Every structure is written in structure tokens, then in C-alpha cells.
Short mmCIF file of all heavy atoms in Angstrom, two decimals:
data_model
loop_
_atom_site.label_atom_id
_atom_site.label_comp_id
_atom_site.label_asym_id
_atom_site.label_seq_id
_atom_site.Cartn_x
_atom_site.Cartn_y
_atom_site.Cartn_z
N MET A 16 3.99 15.72 6.14
CA MET A 16 5.02 15.10 6.97
C MET A 16 5.66 13.93 6.22
O MET A 16 4.96 13.09 5.67
CB MET A 16 4.41 14.58 8.26
CG MET A 16 4.07 15.66 9.28
SD MET A 16 5.51 16.52 9.90
CE MET A 16 6.31 15.26 10.81
N PRO A 17 6.98 13.85 6.23
CA PRO A 17 7.62 12.70 5.61
C PRO A 17 7.48 11.45 6.46
O PRO A 17 7.17 11.53 7.65
CB PRO A 17 9.09 13.13 5.51
CG PRO A 17 9.26 14.14 6.58
CD PRO A 17 7.94 14.83 6.73
N LYS A 18 7.70 10.33 5.82
CA LYS A 18 7.65 9.07 6.54
C LYS A 18 8.83 8.96 7.50
O LYS A 18 9.89 9.54 7.26
CB LYS A 18 7.71 7.90 5.57
CG LYS A 18 6.49 7.74 4.71
CD LYS A 18 6.65 6.48 3.90
CE LYS A 18 5.72 6.47 2.71
NZ LYS A 18 5.98 5.31 1.86
N ILE A 19 8.66 8.18 8.56
CA ILE A 19 9.74 7.92 9.52
C ILE A 19 10.51 6.70 9.02
O ILE A 19 9.91 5.69 8.65
CB ILE A 19 9.18 7.65 10.93
CG1 ILE A 19 8.32 8.81 11.38
CG2 ILE A 19 10.30 7.39 11.91
CD1 ILE A 19 7.47 8.50 12.59
N LYS A 20 11.84 6.81 9.01
CA LYS A 20 12.65 5.67 8.59
C LYS A 20 12.74 4.65 9.72
O LYS A 20 12.89 5.02 10.89
CB LYS A 20 14.05 6.12 8.21
CG LYS A 20 14.11 6.78 6.85
CD LYS A 20 15.53 6.92 6.39
CE LYS A 20 15.57 7.47 4.97
NZ LYS A 20 16.94 7.59 4.47
N THR A 21 12.68 3.38 9.36
CA THR A 21 12.84 2.29 10.33
C THR A 21 14.31 2.12 10.64
O THR A 21 15.14 2.13 9.73
CB THR A 21 12.27 0.99 9.75
OG1 THR A 21 10.88 1.18 9.48
CG2 THR A 21 12.45 -0.17 10.71
N HIS A 22 14.65 1.96 11.90
CA HIS A 22 16.02 1.67 12.32
C HIS A 22 16.30 0.21 11.98
O HIS A 22 15.75 -0.70 12.59
CB HIS A 22 16.15 1.92 13.83
CG HIS A 22 17.56 1.87 14.33
ND1 HIS A 22 18.26 0.70 14.42
CD2 HIS A 22 18.38 2.86 14.76
CE1 HIS A 22 19.47 0.97 14.89
NE2 HIS A 22 19.56 2.28 15.10
N ARG A 23 17.15 -0.02 10.97
CA ARG A 23 17.33 -1.37 10.44
C ARG A 23 17.96 -2.32 11.44
O ARG A 23 17.65 -3.51 11.46
CB ARG A 23 18.16 -1.33 9.14
CG ARG A 23 17.51 -0.56 7.99
CD ARG A 23 16.04 -0.92 7.76
NE ARG A 23 15.87 -2.30 7.36
CZ ARG A 23 14.73 -2.97 7.42
NH1 ARG A 23 13.63 -2.38 7.86
NH2 ARG A 23 14.67 -4.23 7.05
N GLY A 24 18.84 -1.81 12.30
CA GLY A 24 19.44 -2.66 13.33
C GLY A 24 18.41 -3.15 14.31
O GLY A 24 18.41 -4.31 14.72
N ALA A 25 17.49 -2.26 14.70
CA ALA A 25 16.42 -2.64 15.62
C ALA A 25 15.42 -3.59 14.95
O ALA A 25 14.93 -4.52 15.59
CB ALA A 25 15.69 -1.40 16.12
N ALA A 26 15.16 -3.38 13.67
CA ALA A 26 14.21 -4.23 12.95
C ALA A 26 14.69 -5.67 12.87
O ALA A 26 13.89 -6.60 12.86
CB ALA A 26 13.98 -3.67 11.55
N LYS A 27 16.02 -5.86 12.83
CA LYS A 27 16.58 -7.20 12.77
C LYS A 27 16.57 -7.89 14.13
O LYS A 27 16.62 -9.11 14.20
CB LYS A 27 18.01 -7.14 12.23
CG LYS A 27 18.07 -6.76 10.76
CD LYS A 27 19.47 -6.41 10.35
CE LYS A 27 19.46 -5.82 8.93
NZ LYS A 27 20.79 -5.36 8.51
N ARG A 28 16.53 -7.11 15.20
CA ARG A 28 16.63 -7.67 16.54
C ARG A 28 15.29 -7.85 17.25
O ARG A 28 15.17 -8.67 18.16
CB ARG A 28 17.52 -6.77 17.41
CG ARG A 28 18.98 -6.89 17.06
CD ARG A 28 19.79 -5.78 17.70
NE ARG A 28 21.22 -5.97 17.51
CZ ARG A 28 21.89 -5.62 16.42
NH1 ARG A 28 21.24 -5.06 15.41
NH2 ARG A 28 23.18 -5.83 16.32
N PHE A 29 14.29 -7.08 16.87
CA PHE A 29 12.99 -7.11 17.53
C PHE A 29 11.90 -7.45 16.54
O PHE A 29 11.97 -7.09 15.36
CB PHE A 29 12.67 -5.74 18.17
CG PHE A 29 13.68 -5.30 19.19
CD1 PHE A 29 14.66 -4.38 18.85
CD2 PHE A 29 13.66 -5.79 20.48
CE1 PHE A 29 15.60 -3.96 19.78
CE2 PHE A 29 14.59 -5.39 21.42
CZ PHE A 29 15.56 -4.47 21.07
N SER A 30 10.86 -8.12 17.02
CA SER A 30 9.68 -8.39 16.20
C SER A 30 8.45 -8.11 17.04
O SER A 30 8.50 -8.15 18.26
CB SER A 30 9.68 -9.83 15.70
OG SER A 30 9.68 -10.73 16.78
N VAL A 31 7.35 -7.81 16.36
CA VAL A 31 6.11 -7.45 17.04
C VAL A 31 5.15 -8.63 16.98
O VAL A 31 4.98 -9.25 15.92
CB VAL A 31 5.48 -6.20 16.39
CG1 VAL A 31 4.20 -5.78 17.12
CG2 VAL A 31 6.47 -5.04 16.41
N THR A 32 4.53 -8.95 18.12
CA THR A 32 3.56 -10.04 18.18
C THR A 32 2.22 -9.57 17.63
O THR A 32 2.04 -8.38 17.34
CB THR A 32 3.38 -10.53 19.63
OG1 THR A 32 2.85 -9.45 20.40
CG2 THR A 32 4.69 -11.00 20.22
N GLY A 33 1.29 -10.46 17.52
CA GLY A 33 -0.03 -10.12 17.02
C GLY A 33 -0.78 -9.14 17.89
O GLY A 33 -1.60 -8.36 17.40
N THR A 34 -0.50 -9.15 19.20
CA THR A 34 -1.19 -8.23 20.11
C THR A 34 -0.43 -6.91 20.29
O THR A 34 -0.84 -6.08 21.08
CB THR A 34 -1.37 -8.89 21.50
OG1 THR A 34 -0.10 -9.34 21.98
CG2 THR A 34 -2.32 -10.07 21.41
N GLY A 35 0.70 -6.75 19.58
CA GLY A 35 1.43 -5.49 19.63
C GLY A 35 2.58 -5.44 20.62
O GLY A 35 3.23 -4.41 20.77
N LYS A 36 2.85 -6.55 21.29
CA LYS A 36 4.00 -6.59 22.20
C LYS A 36 5.26 -6.82 21.38
O LYS A 36 5.21 -7.35 20.28
CB LYS A 36 3.83 -7.72 23.22
CG LYS A 36 2.67 -7.50 24.17
CD LYS A 36 2.47 -8.71 25.04
CE LYS A 36 1.23 -8.54 25.90
NZ LYS A 36 0.89 -9.76 26.61
N ILE A 37 6.40 -6.43 21.94
CA ILE A 37 7.67 -6.56 21.23
C ILE A 37 8.43 -7.76 21.79
O ILE A 37 8.61 -7.88 22.99
CB ILE A 37 8.49 -5.27 21.34
CG1 ILE A 37 7.71 -4.12 20.71
CG2 ILE A 37 9.83 -5.43 20.66
CD1 ILE A 37 8.31 -2.76 20.90
N ARG A 38 8.88 -8.62 20.88
CA ARG A 38 9.62 -9.82 21.25
C ARG A 38 11.10 -9.60 20.97
O ARG A 38 11.46 -8.98 19.97
CB ARG A 38 9.11 -11.00 20.43
CG ARG A 38 9.66 -12.33 20.86
CD ARG A 38 9.27 -13.45 19.92
NE ARG A 38 7.83 -13.68 19.90
CZ ARG A 38 7.09 -13.68 18.80
NH1 ARG A 38 7.62 -13.44 17.63
NH2 ARG A 38 5.80 -13.90 18.87
N ARG A 39 11.96 -10.11 21.86
CA ARG A 39 13.40 -10.01 21.68
C ARG A 39 14.05 -11.35 22.00
O ARG A 39 13.47 -12.17 22.70
CB ARG A 39 13.99 -8.92 22.58
CG ARG A 39 13.94 -9.27 24.05
CD ARG A 39 14.78 -8.36 24.91
NE ARG A 39 14.68 -8.69 26.32
CZ ARG A 39 15.43 -9.59 26.93
NH1 ARG A 39 16.34 -10.26 26.27
NH2 ARG A 39 15.26 -9.84 28.22
N ASN A 40 15.25 -11.53 21.48
CA ASN A 40 16.03 -12.72 21.81
C ASN A 40 16.97 -12.41 22.96
O ASN A 40 17.32 -11.25 23.18
CB ASN A 40 16.84 -13.19 20.60
CG ASN A 40 15.95 -13.77 19.52
OD1 ASN A 40 14.99 -14.46 19.81
ND2 ASN A 40 16.25 -13.47 18.28
N LYS A 41 17.38 -13.44 23.69
CA LYS A 41 18.26 -13.25 24.83
C LYS A 41 19.71 -13.13 24.37
O LYS A 41 20.09 -13.65 23.32
CB LYS A 41 18.11 -14.42 25.80
CG LYS A 41 16.74 -14.45 26.47
CD LYS A 41 16.63 -15.63 27.39
CE LYS A 41 15.25 -15.70 28.01
NZ LYS A 41 15.10 -16.88 28.84
N ALA A 42 20.51 -12.48 25.20
CA ALA A 42 21.93 -12.30 24.92
C ALA A 42 22.75 -13.45 25.51
O ALA A 42 22.18 -14.38 26.11
CB ALA A 42 22.40 -10.98 25.52
N PHE A 43 24.06 -13.40 25.35
CA PHE A 43 25.02 -14.35 25.93
C PHE A 43 24.92 -15.75 25.30
O PHE A 43 25.10 -16.75 25.99
CB PHE A 43 24.87 -14.44 27.46
CG PHE A 43 24.90 -13.10 28.13
CD1 PHE A 43 23.74 -12.55 28.67
CD2 PHE A 43 26.09 -12.40 28.21
CE1 PHE A 43 23.77 -11.31 29.28
CE2 PHE A 43 26.13 -11.16 28.83
CZ PHE A 43 24.97 -10.61 29.36
N THR A 44 24.66 -15.84 24.00
CA THR A 44 24.55 -17.15 23.35
C THR A 44 25.61 -17.36 22.27
O THR A 44 25.61 -18.41 21.62
CB THR A 44 23.17 -17.30 22.68
OG1 THR A 44 23.01 -16.27 21.71
CG2 THR A 44 22.07 -17.25 23.68
N SER A 45 26.51 -16.41 22.07
CA SER A 45 27.39 -16.50 20.91
C SER A 45 28.71 -17.21 21.16
O SER A 45 29.17 -17.96 20.31
CB SER A 45 27.66 -15.11 20.34
OG SER A 45 28.20 -14.27 21.35
N HIS A 46 29.35 -17.01 22.30
CA HIS A 46 30.64 -17.66 22.53
C HIS A 46 30.85 -17.92 24.02
O HIS A 46 30.03 -17.53 24.85
CB HIS A 46 31.79 -16.82 21.95
CG HIS A 46 31.87 -15.44 22.52
ND1 HIS A 46 32.60 -15.12 23.64
CD2 HIS A 46 31.28 -14.28 22.14
CE1 HIS A 46 32.47 -13.83 23.90
NE2 HIS A 46 31.68 -13.30 23.02
N ILE A 47 31.94 -18.61 24.34
CA ILE A 47 32.26 -19.08 25.70
C ILE A 47 31.08 -19.90 26.25
O ILE A 47 30.57 -19.67 27.35
CB ILE A 47 32.64 -17.93 26.65
CG1 ILE A 47 33.58 -16.94 25.97
CG2 ILE A 47 33.33 -18.48 27.91
CD1 ILE A 47 33.89 -15.71 26.82
N LEU A 48 30.66 -20.88 25.46
CA LEU A 48 29.51 -21.69 25.84
C LEU A 48 29.90 -22.89 26.71
O LEU A 48 29.02 -23.51 27.31
CB LEU A 48 28.79 -22.17 24.58
CG LEU A 48 28.19 -21.06 23.71
CD1 LEU A 48 27.71 -21.62 22.40
CD2 LEU A 48 27.08 -20.33 24.42
N THR A 49 31.19 -23.18 26.81
CA THR A 49 31.60 -24.36 27.58
C THR A 49 31.39 -24.16 29.08
O THR A 49 31.15 -25.13 29.80
CB THR A 49 33.09 -24.67 27.33
OG1 THR A 49 33.85 -23.49 27.55
CG2 THR A 49 33.31 -25.16 25.91
N THR A 50 31.45 -22.92 29.54
CA THR A 50 31.26 -22.67 30.97
C THR A 50 29.79 -22.59 31.36
O THR A 50 29.48 -22.62 32.55
CB THR A 50 31.96 -21.35 31.38
OG1 THR A 50 31.42 -20.30 30.58
CG2 THR A 50 33.44 -21.45 31.19
N LYS A 51 28.91 -22.49 30.39
CA LYS A 51 27.48 -22.38 30.68
C LYS A 51 26.86 -23.77 30.71
O LYS A 51 27.20 -24.64 29.90
CB LYS A 51 26.80 -21.51 29.62
CG LYS A 51 27.27 -20.08 29.68
CD LYS A 51 26.81 -19.27 28.51
CE LYS A 51 27.46 -17.90 28.58
NZ LYS A 51 27.83 -17.39 27.28
N THR A 52 25.92 -23.96 31.63
CA THR A 52 25.27 -25.26 31.76
C THR A 52 24.31 -25.48 30.59
O THR A 52 23.87 -24.53 29.94
CB THR A 52 24.48 -25.36 33.08
OG1 THR A 52 23.44 -24.38 33.06
CG2 THR A 52 25.38 -25.14 34.27
N THR A 53 23.98 -26.74 30.35
CA THR A 53 23.05 -27.09 29.27
C THR A 53 21.69 -26.44 29.50
O THR A 53 21.06 -25.96 28.56
CB THR A 53 22.90 -28.61 29.18
OG1 THR A 53 24.20 -29.19 29.13
CG2 THR A 53 22.14 -29.02 27.96
N LYS A 54 21.23 -26.43 30.74
CA LYS A 54 19.94 -25.83 31.08
C LYS A 54 19.94 -24.33 30.77
O LYS A 54 18.96 -23.80 30.23
CB LYS A 54 19.64 -26.06 32.56
CG LYS A 54 18.32 -25.50 33.03
CD LYS A 54 18.13 -25.76 34.50
CE LYS A 54 16.81 -25.17 34.98
NZ LYS A 54 16.63 -25.42 36.42
N ARG A 55 21.04 -23.67 31.13
CA ARG A 55 21.14 -22.23 30.89
C ARG A 55 21.14 -21.92 29.39
O ARG A 55 20.45 -21.01 28.93
CB ARG A 55 22.42 -21.71 31.53
CG ARG A 55 22.62 -20.22 31.41
CD ARG A 55 23.85 -19.81 32.20
NE ARG A 55 24.28 -18.47 31.87
CZ ARG A 55 25.46 -17.97 32.20
NH1 ARG A 55 26.33 -18.69 32.87
NH2 ARG A 55 25.78 -16.74 31.87
N LYS A 56 21.88 -22.70 28.62
CA LYS A 56 21.94 -22.50 27.16
C LYS A 56 20.58 -22.77 26.52
O LYS A 56 20.18 -22.07 25.59
CB LYS A 56 23.01 -23.41 26.55
CG LYS A 56 24.42 -22.97 26.87
CD LYS A 56 25.45 -23.77 26.13
CE LYS A 56 25.72 -25.10 26.78
NZ LYS A 56 26.90 -25.79 26.20
N ARG A 57 19.88 -23.78 27.02
CA ARG A 57 18.55 -24.10 26.50
C ARG A 57 17.57 -22.96 26.77
O ARG A 57 16.77 -22.59 25.90
CB ARG A 57 18.05 -25.40 27.14
CG ARG A 57 16.75 -25.93 26.57
CD ARG A 57 16.48 -27.34 27.05
NE ARG A 57 16.38 -27.42 28.51
CZ ARG A 57 17.21 -28.12 29.28
NH1 ARG A 57 18.23 -28.79 28.76
NH2 ARG A 57 17.05 -28.17 30.58
N ASN A 58 17.63 -22.37 27.96
CA ASN A 58 16.75 -21.25 28.31
C ASN A 58 17.09 -19.99 27.53
O ASN A 58 16.21 -19.17 27.26
CB ASN A 58 16.80 -20.98 29.81
CG ASN A 58 16.09 -22.05 30.61
OD1 ASN A 58 15.15 -22.68 30.11
ND2 ASN A 58 16.53 -22.29 31.83
N LEU A 59 18.35 -19.82 27.16
CA LEU A 59 18.76 -18.65 26.39
C LEU A 59 18.25 -18.69 24.95
O LEU A 59 18.18 -17.66 24.30
CB LEU A 59 20.29 -18.53 26.39
CG LEU A 59 20.93 -18.07 27.69
CD1 LEU A 59 22.44 -18.22 27.62
CD2 LEU A 59 20.57 -16.64 28.02
N ARG A 60 17.88 -19.88 24.46
CA ARG A 60 17.36 -20.00 23.11
C ARG A 60 15.98 -19.38 22.96
O ARG A 60 15.59 -18.96 21.87
CB ARG A 60 17.26 -21.48 22.71
CG ARG A 60 18.54 -22.08 22.26
CD ARG A 60 18.29 -23.49 21.72
NE ARG A 60 19.27 -24.42 22.26
CZ ARG A 60 18.99 -25.63 22.74
NH1 ARG A 60 17.74 -26.06 22.78
NH2 ARG A 60 19.94 -26.40 23.20
N GLN A 61 15.21 -19.35 24.04
CA GLN A 61 13.83 -18.88 23.96
C GLN A 61 13.76 -17.36 23.91
O GLN A 61 14.56 -16.68 24.54
CB GLN A 61 13.06 -19.40 25.16
CG GLN A 61 12.98 -20.92 25.21
CD GLN A 61 12.65 -21.43 26.59
OE1 GLN A 61 12.47 -20.67 27.52
NE2 GLN A 61 12.59 -22.74 26.72
N SER A 62 12.81 -16.84 23.16
CA SER A 62 12.61 -15.40 23.10
C SER A 62 11.69 -14.96 24.23
O SER A 62 10.93 -15.76 24.78
CB SER A 62 12.01 -15.00 21.75
OG SER A 62 10.76 -15.61 21.58
N VAL A 63 11.78 -13.69 24.58
CA VAL A 63 10.96 -13.14 25.66
C VAL A 63 10.32 -11.83 25.20
O VAL A 63 10.75 -11.23 24.22
CB VAL A 63 11.79 -12.87 26.95
CG1 VAL A 63 12.18 -14.16 27.63
CG2 VAL A 63 13.01 -12.04 26.65
N ILE A 64 9.30 -11.41 25.94
CA ILE A 64 8.64 -10.14 25.66
C ILE A 64 9.47 -9.02 26.28
O ILE A 64 9.95 -9.13 27.41
CB ILE A 64 7.20 -10.14 26.25
CG1 ILE A 64 6.36 -11.27 25.63
CG2 ILE A 64 6.52 -8.80 26.04
CD1 ILE A 64 6.14 -11.18 24.15
N LEU A 65 9.66 -7.96 25.53
CA LEU A 65 10.43 -6.81 25.99
C LEU A 65 9.75 -6.19 27.21
O LEU A 65 8.52 -6.07 27.25
CB LEU A 65 10.52 -5.79 24.86
CG LEU A 65 11.49 -4.65 25.02
CD1 LEU A 65 12.91 -5.15 24.89
CD2 LEU A 65 11.22 -3.58 24.00
N ASP A 66 10.55 -5.76 28.19
CA ASP A 66 9.96 -5.18 29.40
C ASP A 66 9.36 -3.81 29.10
O ASP A 66 9.71 -3.15 28.12
CB ASP A 66 11.00 -5.08 30.52
CG ASP A 66 12.20 -4.26 30.11
OD1 ASP A 66 12.80 -4.57 29.08
OD2 ASP A 66 12.51 -3.29 30.81
N HIS A 67 8.44 -3.40 29.94
CA HIS A 67 7.65 -2.19 29.72
C HIS A 67 8.50 -0.93 29.66
O HIS A 67 8.18 0.01 28.94
CB HIS A 67 6.59 -2.07 30.82
CG HIS A 67 5.65 -0.94 30.59
ND1 HIS A 67 4.69 -0.99 29.59
CD2 HIS A 67 5.53 0.27 31.18
CE1 HIS A 67 4.01 0.18 29.61
NE2 HIS A 67 4.49 0.94 30.56
N ALA A 68 9.60 -0.89 30.41
CA ALA A 68 10.45 0.31 30.48
C ALA A 68 11.07 0.66 29.13
O ALA A 68 11.26 1.83 28.83
CB ALA A 68 11.54 0.11 31.52
N ASN A 69 11.39 -0.33 28.31
CA ASN A 69 12.05 -0.10 27.03
C ASN A 69 11.11 -0.12 25.83
O ASN A 69 11.52 0.16 24.72
CB ASN A 69 13.14 -1.16 26.80
CG ASN A 69 14.21 -1.09 27.86
OD1 ASN A 69 14.60 -0.01 28.29
ND2 ASN A 69 14.67 -2.24 28.31
N GLN A 70 9.86 -0.44 26.07
CA GLN A 70 8.92 -0.64 24.96
C GLN A 70 8.68 0.63 24.15
O GLN A 70 8.65 0.59 22.92
CB GLN A 70 7.60 -1.17 25.51
CG GLN A 70 6.86 -1.99 24.49
CD GLN A 70 5.91 -2.98 25.13
OE1 GLN A 70 5.67 -2.94 26.32
NE2 GLN A 70 5.37 -3.86 24.34
N LYS A 71 8.56 1.76 24.80
CA LYS A 71 8.28 3.02 24.12
C LYS A 71 9.43 3.41 23.18
O LYS A 71 9.21 3.83 22.05
CB LYS A 71 8.03 4.11 25.15
CG LYS A 71 7.57 5.42 24.56
CD LYS A 71 7.30 6.44 25.66
CE LYS A 71 6.93 7.78 25.08
NZ LYS A 71 6.74 8.80 26.14
N ALA A 72 10.66 3.24 23.66
CA ALA A 72 11.83 3.61 22.87
C ALA A 72 11.97 2.73 21.63
O ALA A 72 12.28 3.21 20.53
CB ALA A 72 13.07 3.52 23.72
N ILE A 73 11.72 1.44 21.78
CA ILE A 73 11.86 0.53 20.64
C ILE A 73 10.75 0.73 19.63
O ILE A 73 10.96 0.62 18.43
CB ILE A 73 11.92 -0.94 21.14
CG1 ILE A 73 13.11 -1.15 22.06
CG2 ILE A 73 11.98 -1.92 19.98
CD1 ILE A 73 14.47 -0.85 21.45
N LYS A 74 9.54 1.06 20.09
CA LYS A 74 8.43 1.32 19.18
C LYS A 74 8.71 2.51 18.26
O LYS A 74 8.26 2.56 17.12
CB LYS A 74 7.13 1.53 19.94
CG LYS A 74 6.51 0.22 20.39
CD LYS A 74 5.04 0.37 20.70
CE LYS A 74 4.48 -0.96 21.09
NZ LYS A 74 3.11 -1.16 20.70
N LYS A 75 9.48 3.48 18.77
CA LYS A 75 9.87 4.62 17.94
C LYS A 75 10.84 4.20 16.84
O LYS A 75 10.85 4.76 15.75
CB LYS A 75 10.54 5.70 18.79
CG LYS A 75 9.57 6.55 19.57
CD LYS A 75 10.30 7.65 20.30
CE LYS A 75 9.34 8.51 21.09
NZ LYS A 75 10.06 9.54 21.88
N LEU A 76 11.69 3.21 17.13
CA LEU A 76 12.69 2.76 16.16
C LEU A 76 12.08 1.89 15.07
O LEU A 76 12.58 1.84 13.95
CB LEU A 76 13.80 1.98 16.87
CG LEU A 76 14.66 2.75 17.88
CD1 LEU A 76 15.62 1.81 18.56
CD2 LEU A 76 15.40 3.88 17.20
N ILE A 77 10.99 1.17 15.41
CA ILE A 77 10.34 0.29 14.42
C ILE A 77 8.87 0.69 14.27
O ILE A 77 7.97 -0.05 14.68
CB ILE A 77 10.51 -1.20 14.77
CG1 ILE A 77 10.17 -1.48 16.25
CG2 ILE A 77 11.91 -1.68 14.49
CD1 ILE A 77 10.12 -2.95 16.60
N PRO A 78 8.58 1.86 13.68
CA PRO A 78 7.22 2.38 13.67
C PRO A 78 6.24 1.60 12.80
O PRO A 78 5.04 1.60 13.08
CB PRO A 78 7.38 3.81 13.12
CG PRO A 78 8.65 3.77 12.35
CD PRO A 78 9.52 2.76 13.03
N TYR A 79 6.70 0.92 11.76
CA TYR A 79 5.77 0.28 10.82
C TYR A 79 5.72 -1.23 10.97
O TYR A 79 5.21 -1.93 10.10
CB TYR A 79 6.14 0.65 9.39
CG TYR A 79 6.14 2.15 9.18
CD1 TYR A 79 7.34 2.83 8.98
CD2 TYR A 79 4.96 2.87 9.24
CE1 TYR A 79 7.34 4.21 8.81
CE2 TYR A 79 4.96 4.24 9.08
CZ TYR A 79 6.16 4.91 8.87
OH TYR A 79 6.16 6.26 8.71
N MET A 80 6.26 -1.77 12.05
CA MET A 80 6.25 -3.21 12.23
C MET A 80 5.09 -3.63 13.11
O MET A 80 4.46 -2.89 13.75
CB MET A 80 7.55 -3.69 12.85
CG MET A 80 8.69 -3.57 11.85
SD MET A 80 10.23 -4.17 12.49
CE MET A 80 10.08 -5.90 12.21
#
């Protein structure tokens, strides 16, 4: 069997924690920041664990991470 290629776009967006969970960054941080509150922008900086529904699909895209 040949090796599975890593989806490079997914590899740049997701990372795997030590326990095997997938970490992602939040969206809505790139532009139109004047209408967003300081608290909202501060919370958007933090990364979160990917929800269970999408975990299987992303693990297929990044098999060796």
C-alpha cells in the first residue's frame, strides 16, 4: 500500500495535541475588526479543540500528525 498524502491546507490549519485531540483556530479575526468588541477579539485569539462531529474527517486529511 502506498503512503497517504497529507492535505497541506489542513496541516496548516489544524494541529494535534499530545493526547490526540485536534486543535483549531477561530474564524472572523482577519478584517472588519472595528465593529467587534475588545472582549470578542480577545476570545477569538484563543484556539479550541475541534468538535467530535468533524474529528474523523480531519484525521483522514492529516494522517501522520
